[in-house]
Amino acid sequence: MTHPQLEAALTKADAFIAKYPTVCQYEKLKELETKTGYSKVYFFLLVVLSLGGLTYAIGGLKLVSDLISFVYPAYASFKAIDSGMPGDDTQWLTYWILFGGMSIIENTLPFVTEWIPLYFPIKLAFFVWLYHPHFLGAGLVYTKFLRPVLAPYIDSLKKNPQSPAVSVNNLEGEADKKDM
């Protein structure tokens, strides 16, 4: 007899695994469940924890935080490309700018990661806040910080005749006039 809360958690986890049968190898887990009599959720958790432990053993907390900061945002970015909604493009472009900036800082100034206590857990929490669908912090960083700071410079680039965007627009306009 199992505890009702454990039963509820197992049911929720089983529903999650069933939702993604290919990734979670649902059929193989069902076979293991019938052979052993243990819930397939236990086997799924064993595999996930083993892979997580192996990842941590190979690359430490830096690799774990980099993978968590990369995998879901990459997936969400591919979905955003096809969605046709401009708001999610801003969210994910800002996220990747911040991700790239942090990667450059980490690689060029590695001593910074050693000076800040609990750097990688803090970094991980920050990136999860940036991309989590409940918070969408990257969009907030863009609207509250990046856009107000960079907008004057971007506007001046649009007005500058040496700007590549203006030059391309001028060339396109001239090409259209020649075609007529």
Side-chain angles (χ1 to χ4, degrees):
M1 187 80 180
T2 59
H3 195 275
Q5 289 179 335
L6 178 62
E7 256 331 292
L10 288 174
T11 304
K12 277 186 173 180
D14 188 62
F16 174 80
I17 295 168
K19 193 174 173 182
Y20 305 101
T22 306
V23 174
C24 298
Q25 297 292 310
Y26 191 74
E27 292 303 318
K28 290 183 181 180
L29 290 173
K30 277 174 69 173
E31 288 176 22
L32 277 171
E33 183 179 45
T34 55
K35 286 181 184 177
T36 62
Y38 291 105
S39 173
K40 57 188 151 294
V41 174
Y42 295 136
F43 295 107
F44 178 74
L45 289 175
L46 178 68
V47 169
V48 167
L49 290 174
S50 297
L51 289 174
L54 181 64
T55 304
Y56 180 76
I58 291 172
L61 205 48
K62 179 178 179 9
L63 179 60
V64 172
S65 69
D66 285 347
L67 285 174
I68 291 173
S69 298
F70 177 78
V71 174
Y72 174 76
Y75 167 73
S77 296
F78 283 116
K79 282 179 54 177
I81 291 169
D82 293 331
S83 76
M85 293 173 31
D88 58 2
D89 293 347
T90 302
Q91 159 69 20
W92 294 113
L93 286 170
T94 305
Y95 177 85
W96 290 114
I97 288 168
L98 294 170
F99 182 84
M102 289 290 288
S103 295
I104 289 169
I105 290 170
E106 283 179 9
N107 289 323
T108 56
L109 305 170
F111 57 87
V112 171
T113 63
E114 296 170 9
W115 285 354
I116 300 172
L118 300 172
Y119 173 79
F120 290 111
I122 292 168
K123 173 191 165 192
L124 183 58
F126 175 67
F127 277 106
V128 169
W129 175 78
L130 285 175
Y131 74 67
H132 194 280
H134 182 71
F135 302 110
L136 296 176
L140 183 68
V141 168
Y142 175 76
T143 56
K144 297 292 183 185
F145 301 106
L146 293 178
R147 191 165 202 283
V149 170
L150 298 176
Y153 301 108
I154 293 172
D155 289 339
S156 69
L157 283 176
K158 289 179 184 174
K159 295 174 189 172
N160 181 358
Q162 298 300 323
S163 172
V166 172
S167 300
V168 169
N169 289 339
N170 290 343
L171 291 174
E172 287 174 354
E174 289 175 18
D176 290 340
K177 289 177 188 174
K178 289 179 185 176
D179 290 339
M180 290 180 183

